[in-house]
Amino acid sequence: MLILRHADVRDILDGQERLVADVVRKTYAAHDEGRTALPHSIFLRFPDAPRDRIIGLPAFVGGEAPAMGMKWISSFPGNLERGLERASAAIILNEPGTGRPDALVEGSVISAKRTAASAAVAARLLTAEADTRGASLIGCGVINLEVLRFLRSELPGLREVTVHDRDPARAALFAARAAELPGLAVTVADTVGEALAAHRLVCLATTAGAPHLDLSPLSPGSTVLHVSLRDIKVEDILAAQNVVDDTDHVSREQTSIHLAEQATGNRDFVDAEIGRILRDPGSFHRDPARTVVYSPFGLGALDIALAARVRDEAAAKGLGVELDGFLPGETSRS
Protein backbone atom coordinates (compact mmCIF):
# COMPACT_ATOMS: atom_id res chain seq x y z
CA MET A 1 0.00 0.00 0.00
CA LEU A 2 1.38 3.38 -1.04
CA ILE A 3 0.38 6.22 1.27
CA LEU A 4 0.57 9.72 -0.20
CA ARG A 5 0.47 12.54 2.32
CA HIS A 6 -0.82 16.06 1.78
CA ALA A 7 2.70 17.36 1.13
CA ASP A 8 3.36 14.60 -1.43
CA VAL A 9 0.23 15.44 -3.40
CA ARG A 10 0.87 19.16 -3.18
CA ASP A 11 4.44 18.76 -4.42
CA ILE A 12 3.21 16.88 -7.49
CA LEU A 13 0.29 19.16 -8.39
CA ASP A 14 1.44 22.67 -7.46
CA GLY A 15 1.81 24.73 -10.63
CA GLN A 16 0.41 21.90 -12.76
CA GLU A 17 -2.82 23.59 -13.83
CA ARG A 18 -2.51 22.47 -17.44
CA LEU A 19 -1.91 18.85 -16.46
CA VAL A 20 -4.93 18.82 -14.13
CA ALA A 21 -7.17 20.52 -16.72
CA ASP A 22 -6.08 17.95 -19.30
CA VAL A 23 -7.04 15.09 -16.96
CA VAL A 24 -10.42 16.75 -16.38
CA ARG A 25 -11.08 17.17 -20.11
CA LYS A 26 -10.17 13.57 -20.91
CA THR A 27 -12.27 12.24 -18.04
CA TYR A 28 -15.33 14.27 -19.04
CA ALA A 29 -14.92 12.99 -22.59
CA ALA A 30 -14.60 9.40 -21.33
CA HIS A 31 -17.77 9.85 -19.28
CA ASP A 32 -19.68 11.15 -22.30
CA GLU A 33 -18.42 8.19 -24.32
CA GLY A 34 -19.74 5.75 -21.72
CA ARG A 35 -16.29 4.63 -20.54
CA THR A 36 -16.96 5.27 -16.85
CA ALA A 37 -18.90 3.58 -14.07
CA LEU A 38 -20.28 6.22 -11.74
CA PRO A 39 -22.78 5.24 -9.01
CA HIS A 40 -24.55 8.00 -7.15
CA SER A 41 -22.62 9.61 -4.33
CA ILE A 42 -23.41 8.51 -0.79
CA PHE A 43 -24.26 11.28 1.68
CA LEU A 44 -23.69 10.69 5.39
CA ARG A 45 -25.56 13.32 7.40
CA PHE A 46 -25.95 13.89 11.12
CA PRO A 47 -29.29 14.59 12.90
CA ASP A 48 -27.80 17.10 15.33
CA ALA A 49 -25.51 18.86 12.83
CA PRO A 50 -27.43 19.48 9.58
CA ARG A 51 -24.67 21.60 8.03
CA ASP A 52 -22.10 18.82 8.31
CA ARG A 53 -21.79 15.93 5.89
CA ILE A 54 -19.42 13.27 4.57
CA ILE A 55 -19.75 12.14 0.97
CA GLY A 56 -18.53 8.94 -0.64
CA LEU A 57 -17.84 9.07 -4.39
CA PRO A 58 -17.01 5.70 -6.00
CA ALA A 59 -15.91 5.65 -9.64
CA PHE A 60 -14.25 3.74 -12.45
CA VAL A 61 -12.59 5.35 -15.47
CA GLY A 62 -11.76 3.07 -18.39
CA GLY A 63 -9.31 3.43 -21.22
CA GLU A 64 -5.64 2.62 -21.76
CA ALA A 65 -4.87 3.29 -18.09
CA PRO A 66 -8.00 2.33 -16.15
CA ALA A 67 -8.48 3.66 -12.62
CA MET A 68 -10.93 2.76 -9.87
CA GLY A 69 -11.52 3.76 -6.30
CA MET A 70 -13.47 6.01 -3.96
CA LYS A 71 -13.19 9.48 -2.47
CA TRP A 72 -14.45 10.01 1.10
CA ILE A 73 -14.76 13.75 1.72
CA SER A 74 -16.16 15.62 4.70
CA SER A 75 -17.52 19.16 4.85
CA PHE A 76 -17.77 20.66 8.33
CA PRO A 77 -18.28 24.45 7.91
CA GLY A 78 -17.80 25.03 11.64
CA ASN A 79 -14.17 24.01 11.27
CA LEU A 80 -13.41 27.46 9.91
CA GLU A 81 -14.18 28.95 13.33
CA ARG A 82 -11.80 26.39 14.86
CA GLY A 83 -8.96 27.39 12.56
CA LEU A 84 -9.30 24.17 10.56
CA GLU A 85 -10.04 23.52 6.89
CA ARG A 86 -13.74 23.13 6.11
CA ALA A 87 -13.14 20.05 3.95
CA SER A 88 -10.88 17.04 4.40
CA ALA A 89 -10.66 13.95 2.24
CA ALA A 90 -9.05 10.59 1.60
CA ILE A 91 -9.01 8.62 -1.66
CA ILE A 92 -8.60 4.87 -1.91
CA LEU A 93 -7.35 3.56 -5.25
CA ASN A 94 -7.85 -0.08 -6.21
CA GLU A 95 -5.68 -2.10 -8.53
CA PRO A 96 -7.41 -2.84 -11.85
CA GLY A 97 -7.72 -6.57 -12.42
CA THR A 98 -7.59 -7.65 -8.78
CA GLY A 99 -9.55 -4.90 -7.01
CA ARG A 100 -6.99 -4.87 -4.19
CA PRO A 101 -6.45 -1.44 -2.62
CA ASP A 102 -3.01 -0.21 -3.61
CA ALA A 103 -2.92 3.47 -2.60
CA LEU A 104 -4.29 5.76 0.09
CA VAL A 105 -4.09 9.36 -1.10
CA GLU A 106 -4.76 12.53 0.90
CA GLY A 107 -7.65 13.96 -1.10
CA SER A 108 -8.19 17.62 -0.23
CA VAL A 109 -5.67 18.94 -2.76
CA ILE A 110 -6.96 16.67 -5.51
CA SER A 111 -10.58 17.55 -4.71
CA ALA A 112 -9.94 21.30 -4.74
CA LYS A 113 -7.89 21.25 -7.92
CA ARG A 114 -10.22 19.01 -9.92
CA THR A 115 -13.17 21.19 -8.81
CA ALA A 116 -11.40 24.36 -9.87
CA ALA A 117 -10.18 22.82 -13.11
CA SER A 118 -13.68 21.69 -14.06
CA ALA A 119 -14.95 25.25 -13.53
CA ALA A 120 -12.13 26.79 -15.55
CA VAL A 121 -12.47 24.28 -18.38
CA ALA A 122 -16.17 25.16 -18.58
CA ALA A 123 -15.37 28.87 -18.47
CA ARG A 124 -13.12 28.52 -21.50
CA LEU A 125 -15.90 26.73 -23.40
CA LEU A 126 -18.86 28.82 -22.30
CA THR A 127 -17.78 32.44 -21.88
CA ALA A 128 -19.06 34.80 -24.54
CA GLU A 129 -15.68 36.49 -25.01
CA ALA A 130 -12.59 34.45 -25.82
CA ASP A 131 -10.46 37.29 -24.44
CA THR A 132 -12.22 37.52 -21.07
CA ARG A 133 -10.34 40.03 -18.94
CA GLY A 134 -12.28 39.96 -15.68
CA ALA A 135 -14.07 37.63 -13.27
CA SER A 136 -15.99 37.89 -10.01
CA LEU A 137 -15.44 35.35 -7.27
CA ILE A 138 -18.15 35.04 -4.61
CA GLY A 139 -17.07 33.03 -1.59
CA CYS A 140 -13.50 33.60 -0.47
CA GLY A 141 -12.28 30.16 0.43
CA VAL A 142 -9.86 27.52 -0.81
CA ILE A 143 -11.95 26.56 -3.84
CA ASN A 144 -12.22 30.02 -5.36
CA LEU A 145 -8.51 30.64 -4.86
CA GLU A 146 -7.86 27.49 -6.87
CA VAL A 147 -10.49 28.56 -9.42
CA LEU A 148 -8.59 31.81 -9.87
CA ARG A 149 -5.34 29.95 -10.57
CA PHE A 150 -7.03 27.73 -13.13
CA LEU A 151 -8.90 30.61 -14.76
CA ARG A 152 -5.57 32.34 -15.24
CA SER A 153 -4.31 29.23 -17.02
CA GLU A 154 -7.39 28.70 -19.19
CA LEU A 155 -8.09 32.39 -19.88
CA PRO A 156 -4.66 34.03 -20.31
CA GLY A 157 -6.22 37.45 -20.85
CA LEU A 158 -7.66 37.56 -17.32
CA ARG A 159 -6.34 40.70 -15.66
CA GLU A 160 -9.04 41.80 -13.19
CA VAL A 161 -10.88 40.03 -10.40
CA THR A 162 -13.57 41.25 -8.02
CA VAL A 163 -14.12 39.26 -4.83
CA HIS A 164 -16.87 39.18 -2.23
CA ASP A 165 -17.55 37.24 0.95
CA ARG A 166 -20.08 37.68 3.73
CA ASP A 167 -17.10 37.93 6.08
CA PRO A 168 -15.19 41.12 5.14
CA ALA A 169 -12.04 39.86 6.88
CA ARG A 170 -12.03 36.71 4.75
CA ALA A 171 -12.53 38.79 1.64
CA ALA A 172 -9.63 41.07 2.55
CA LEU A 173 -7.31 38.12 3.24
CA PHE A 174 -8.35 36.46 0.00
CA ALA A 175 -7.75 39.67 -1.94
CA ALA A 176 -4.26 39.97 -0.48
CA ARG A 177 -3.41 36.43 -1.56
CA ALA A 178 -4.89 36.94 -5.02
CA ALA A 179 -2.91 40.16 -5.46
CA GLU A 180 0.29 38.11 -5.18
CA LEU A 181 -0.45 36.67 -8.63
CA PRO A 182 1.45 38.71 -11.22
CA GLY A 183 -0.43 41.12 -13.45
CA LEU A 184 -3.73 40.84 -11.60
CA ALA A 185 -5.78 43.77 -10.29
CA VAL A 186 -7.98 42.77 -7.33
CA THR A 187 -11.04 44.63 -6.02
CA VAL A 188 -13.12 43.78 -2.96
CA ALA A 189 -16.87 44.31 -3.47
CA ASP A 190 -18.85 45.42 -0.44
CA THR A 191 -22.04 43.73 -1.66
CA VAL A 192 -22.81 40.60 -3.63
CA GLY A 193 -24.75 42.69 -6.14
CA GLU A 194 -21.68 44.80 -6.80
CA ALA A 195 -19.65 41.64 -7.43
CA LEU A 196 -22.27 40.19 -9.78
CA ALA A 197 -22.36 43.39 -11.81
CA ALA A 198 -18.59 43.80 -12.06
CA HIS A 199 -17.86 41.14 -14.70
CA ARG A 200 -19.66 38.77 -17.07
CA LEU A 201 -17.82 35.75 -15.67
CA VAL A 202 -18.79 34.81 -12.10
CA CYS A 203 -17.82 31.87 -9.90
CA LEU A 204 -19.94 30.94 -6.88
CA ALA A 205 -18.11 28.85 -4.29
CA THR A 206 -19.96 29.36 -1.01
CA THR A 207 -21.23 27.10 1.78
CA ALA A 208 -24.87 28.04 1.10
CA GLY A 209 -27.38 25.30 1.86
CA ALA A 210 -30.32 26.95 0.10
CA PRO A 211 -30.84 29.45 -2.76
CA HIS A 212 -30.24 33.03 -1.69
CA LEU A 213 -28.86 35.05 -4.61
CA ASP A 214 -30.65 37.60 -6.75
CA LEU A 215 -28.96 37.40 -10.18
CA SER A 216 -30.61 40.52 -11.57
CA PRO A 217 -27.36 42.59 -11.37
CA LEU A 218 -25.74 40.31 -13.98
CA SER A 219 -25.15 41.72 -17.45
CA PRO A 220 -26.83 39.92 -20.39
CA GLY A 221 -24.72 37.06 -21.67
CA SER A 222 -22.98 36.41 -18.35
CA THR A 223 -21.55 33.01 -17.45
CA VAL A 224 -21.97 31.73 -13.89
CA LEU A 225 -19.84 28.85 -12.62
CA HIS A 226 -22.19 27.49 -9.97
CA VAL A 227 -19.63 25.38 -8.12
CA SER A 228 -21.47 25.43 -4.78
CA LEU A 229 -24.71 24.29 -6.48
CA ARG A 230 -27.25 25.76 -4.05
CA ASP A 231 -26.96 29.54 -4.42
CA ILE A 232 -29.27 30.22 -7.36
CA LYS A 233 -33.06 30.51 -7.11
CA VAL A 234 -35.31 28.30 -9.22
CA GLU A 235 -36.64 31.18 -11.30
CA ASP A 236 -33.11 32.19 -12.28
CA ILE A 237 -32.20 28.60 -13.17
CA LEU A 238 -35.26 28.36 -15.40
CA ALA A 239 -34.44 31.67 -17.09
CA ALA A 240 -30.86 30.60 -17.85
CA GLN A 241 -29.20 28.22 -20.26
CA ASN A 242 -28.04 25.37 -18.04
CA VAL A 243 -24.96 23.21 -18.56
CA VAL A 244 -24.11 20.41 -16.10
CA ASP A 245 -21.53 17.66 -15.77
CA ASP A 246 -24.13 14.89 -15.44
CA THR A 247 -27.87 15.61 -15.39
CA ASP A 248 -28.79 12.60 -13.30
CA HIS A 249 -26.12 13.23 -10.68
CA VAL A 250 -26.72 16.97 -10.26
CA SER A 251 -30.51 16.56 -9.92
CA ARG A 252 -30.16 15.39 -6.32
CA GLU A 253 -29.61 16.59 -2.75
CA GLN A 254 -31.57 19.84 -3.04
CA THR A 255 -29.22 21.50 -5.50
CA SER A 256 -30.70 24.42 -7.42
CA ILE A 257 -31.03 22.11 -10.43
CA HIS A 258 -32.85 19.56 -8.26
CA LEU A 259 -35.21 22.22 -6.92
CA ALA A 260 -35.94 23.38 -10.47
CA GLU A 261 -36.76 19.79 -11.44
CA GLN A 262 -39.11 19.51 -8.47
CA ALA A 263 -40.81 22.76 -9.47
CA THR A 264 -41.29 21.81 -13.13
CA GLY A 265 -41.57 18.04 -13.00
CA ASN A 266 -38.94 17.63 -15.71
CA ARG A 267 -35.33 18.35 -16.66
CA ASP A 268 -36.03 20.08 -19.96
CA PHE A 269 -34.33 23.24 -18.71
CA VAL A 270 -30.93 21.47 -18.81
CA ASP A 271 -29.46 22.37 -22.19
CA ALA A 272 -26.24 20.34 -22.33
CA GLU A 273 -23.62 18.31 -20.50
CA ILE A 274 -20.02 19.45 -20.48
CA GLY A 275 -18.56 16.20 -21.83
CA ARG A 276 -20.64 16.42 -24.98
CA ILE A 277 -19.66 20.06 -25.53
CA LEU A 278 -15.99 19.14 -25.15
CA ARG A 279 -16.36 16.40 -27.75
CA ASP A 280 -18.60 18.45 -30.05
CA PRO A 281 -18.40 22.23 -29.39
CA GLY A 282 -21.06 22.85 -32.04
CA SER A 283 -23.63 20.89 -30.04
CA PHE A 284 -24.30 23.89 -27.77
CA HIS A 285 -25.32 27.35 -28.96
CA ARG A 286 -25.49 30.09 -26.38
CA ASP A 287 -28.09 32.84 -26.48
CA PRO A 288 -26.26 36.17 -26.07
CA ALA A 289 -29.24 37.62 -24.20
CA ARG A 290 -29.33 34.89 -21.53
CA THR A 291 -27.11 33.85 -18.65
CA VAL A 292 -25.33 30.51 -18.91
CA VAL A 293 -25.16 28.62 -15.59
CA TYR A 294 -22.70 25.75 -15.26
CA SER A 295 -23.60 23.44 -12.35
CA PRO A 296 -21.02 20.66 -11.83
CA PHE A 297 -22.10 18.15 -9.20
CA GLY A 298 -18.51 16.98 -8.94
CA LEU A 299 -18.02 13.57 -10.50
CA GLY A 300 -15.95 11.06 -8.55
CA ALA A 301 -14.42 9.99 -11.85
CA LEU A 302 -12.40 13.22 -11.85
CA ASP A 303 -10.97 12.50 -8.40
CA ILE A 304 -10.08 8.92 -9.26
CA ALA A 305 -8.48 9.79 -12.60
CA LEU A 306 -6.40 12.58 -11.04
CA ALA A 307 -5.47 10.51 -7.98
CA ALA A 308 -4.25 7.72 -10.26
CA ARG A 309 -2.10 10.20 -12.15
CA VAL A 310 -0.69 11.48 -8.84
CA ARG A 311 0.00 7.92 -7.66
CA ASP A 312 1.92 7.14 -10.83
CA GLU A 313 3.94 10.37 -10.58
CA ALA A 314 4.69 9.70 -6.91
CA ALA A 315 5.85 6.15 -7.62
CA ALA A 316 8.16 7.42 -10.36
CA LYS A 317 9.65 10.06 -8.03
CA GLY A 318 9.90 7.86 -4.96
CA LEU A 319 7.41 9.93 -2.96
CA GLY A 320 5.07 8.64 -0.29
CA VAL A 321 5.29 5.89 2.31
CA GLU A 322 5.13 2.20 1.40
CA LEU A 323 3.20 0.21 4.02
CA ASP A 324 3.98 -3.50 3.92
CA GLY A 325 1.74 -6.19 5.35
CA PHE A 326 -1.50 -4.23 4.96
CA LEU A 327 -3.38 -6.90 3.00
CA PRO A 328 -3.77 -10.64 3.72
CA GLY A 329 -0.86 -12.62 2.32
CA GLU A 330 1.56 -9.68 2.39
CA THR A 331 4.66 -9.92 4.51
CA SER A 332 5.51 -7.05 6.80
CA ARG A 333 9.12 -5.97 6.92
CA SER A 334 8.81 -4.62 10.43
Side-chain angles (χ1 to χ4, degrees):
M1 171 76 77
L2 177 64
I3 299 176
L4 297 180
R5 301 155 296 191
H6 177 85
D8 300 320
V9 179
R10 187 186 58 217
D11 287 349
I12 291 170
L13 292 183
D14 273 0
Q16 297 297 317
E17 284 79 14
R18 291 186 180 180
L19 179 152
V20 177
D22 185 57
V23 170
V24 165
R25 287 189 184 90
K26 289 179 178 178
T27 306
Y28 275 148
H31 183 59
D32 187 65
E33 292 166 353
R35 294 189 289 114
T36 64
L38 203 62
H40 280 307
S41 306
I42 301 166
F43 281 70
L44 176 63
R45 299 186 183 277
F46 311 97
D48 298 328
R51 295 177 67 204
D52 300 337
R53 64 180 186 266
I54 306 178
I55 311 174
L57 296 89
F60 165 78
V61 183
E64 294 181 0
M68 60 182 69
M70 181 169 180
K71 180 175 76 169
W72 186 241
I73 181 167
S74 66
S75 175
F76 281 55
N79 280 355
L80 296 174
E81 299 169 5
R82 304 181 182 100
L84 301 173
E85 297 291 336
R86 175 187 62 82
S88 56
I91 297 172
I92 287 283
L93 293 176
N94 297 79
E95 182 181 62
T98 70
R100 290 161 68 90
D102 68 353
L104 172 63
V105 185
E106 196 284 324
S108 66
V109 176
I110 287 171
S111 187
K113 287 187 180 294
R114 69 82 156 149
T115 300
S118 70
V121 165
R124 183 170 181 173
L125 283 174
L126 303 174
T127 48
E129 306 93 352
D131 61 343
T132 299
R133 293 187 56 83
S136 293
L137 307 178
I138 296 171
C140 293
V142 171
I143 297 300
N144 254 341
L145 192 59
E146 288 291 347
V147 168
L148 179 56
R149 293 192 180 103
F150 279 89
L151 286 177
R152 295 261 291 177
S153 176
E154 294 293 314
L155 302 172
L158 194 71
R159 294 290 180 271
E160 302 172 7
V161 63
T162 299
V163 304
H164 172 76
D165 194 278
R166 288 184 174 181
D167 182 343
R170 281 171 59 83
L173 179 60
F174 185 99
R177 297 185 66 183
E180 295 174 359
L181 298 175
L184 187 67
V186 184
T187 302
V188 176
D190 293 329
T191 67
V192 68
E194 181 185 342
L196 290 171
H199 305 287
R200 297 213 299 174
L201 175 60
V202 177
C203 185
L204 307 176
T206 75
T207 58
H212 61 101
L213 280 184
D214 173 11
L215 295 187
S216 61
L218 287 173
S219 300
S222 291
T223 299
V224 179
L225 309 173
H226 191 200
V227 173
S228 38
L229 294 173
R230 296 171 179 83
D231 302 87
I232 300 177
K233 298 176 182 178
V234 167
E235 54 267 33
D236 287 322
I237 289 289
L238 297 179
Q241 289 182 284
N242 290 282
V243 178
V244 301
D245 52 2
D246 183 290
T247 307
D248 195 37
H249 281 256
V250 78
S251 299
R252 300 178 66 227
E253 294 294 331
Q254 302 301 300
T255 65
S256 294
I257 295 289
H258 188 199
L259 295 177
E261 179 189 15
Q262 292 175 329
T264 62
N266 60 65
R267 299 173 180 177
D268 296 346
F269 54 89
V270 176
D271 295 85
E273 294 185 348
I274 197 70
R276 178 54 52 88
I277 300 175
L278 281 163
R279 295 180 61 217
D280 180 12
S283 65
F284 176 72
H285 302 279
R286 67 170 299 153
D287 181 343
R290 298 170 69 193
T291 296
V292 171
V293 174
Y294 176 54
S295 299
F297 191 67
L299 304 183
L302 302 179
D303 300 284
I304 298 309
L306 185 55
R309 181 64 179 265
V310 168
R311 175 201 58 201
D312 294 345
E313 292 281 338
K317 296 178 179 179
L319 296 175
V321 177
E322 287 282 0
L323 179 63
D324 299 313
F326 180 78
L327 294 174
E330 293 182 340
T331 301
S332 175
R333 299 177 190 176
S334 59

